[in-house]
Amino acid sequence: PNPVSGAVQLDAPESFRVQTVRVYNALGVPVHNVSGNIRSMDFNGWVPGWYVVEISGNEGVFRQKILVR
């Protein structure tokens, strides 16, 4: 869901293997980086605002804007 205020499930096909998840703030500055085949992220405690979540994996790179409340 968007906006988010807690944990978010990363919805991807089973064949998609997440390699890295990077989160950028509204200025494009990286603020979070996780490696591994993760399937959820917790946004509790984040500063409210717009972010871009970038998910890199074996089938490409996907980006999504999210609004943290």
Side-chain angles (χ1 to χ4, degrees):
N2 205 357
V4 301
S5 60
V8 173
Q9 297 297 316
L10 304 178
D11 190 19
E14 285 297 318
S15 62
F16 187 83
R17 298 284 180 234
V18 176
Q19 295 166 340
T20 59
V21 176
R22 292 182 182 93
V23 182
Y24 301 89
N25 67 15
L27 299 174
V29 177
V31 294
H32 192 71
N33 187 17
V34 179
S35 296
N37 193 25
I38 66 169
R39 291 292 177 179
S40 67
M41 281 193 65
D42 188 0
F43 288 94
N44 280 315
W46 285 54
V47 175
W50 285 100
Y51 295 87
V52 174
V53 178
E54 179 182 87
I55 303 169
S56 302
N58 63 322
E59 295 180 13
V61 177
F62 300 92
R63 290 176 191 86
Q64 177 69 47
K65 280 186 186 179
I66 61 164
L67 177 61
V68 174
R69 306 193 247 169

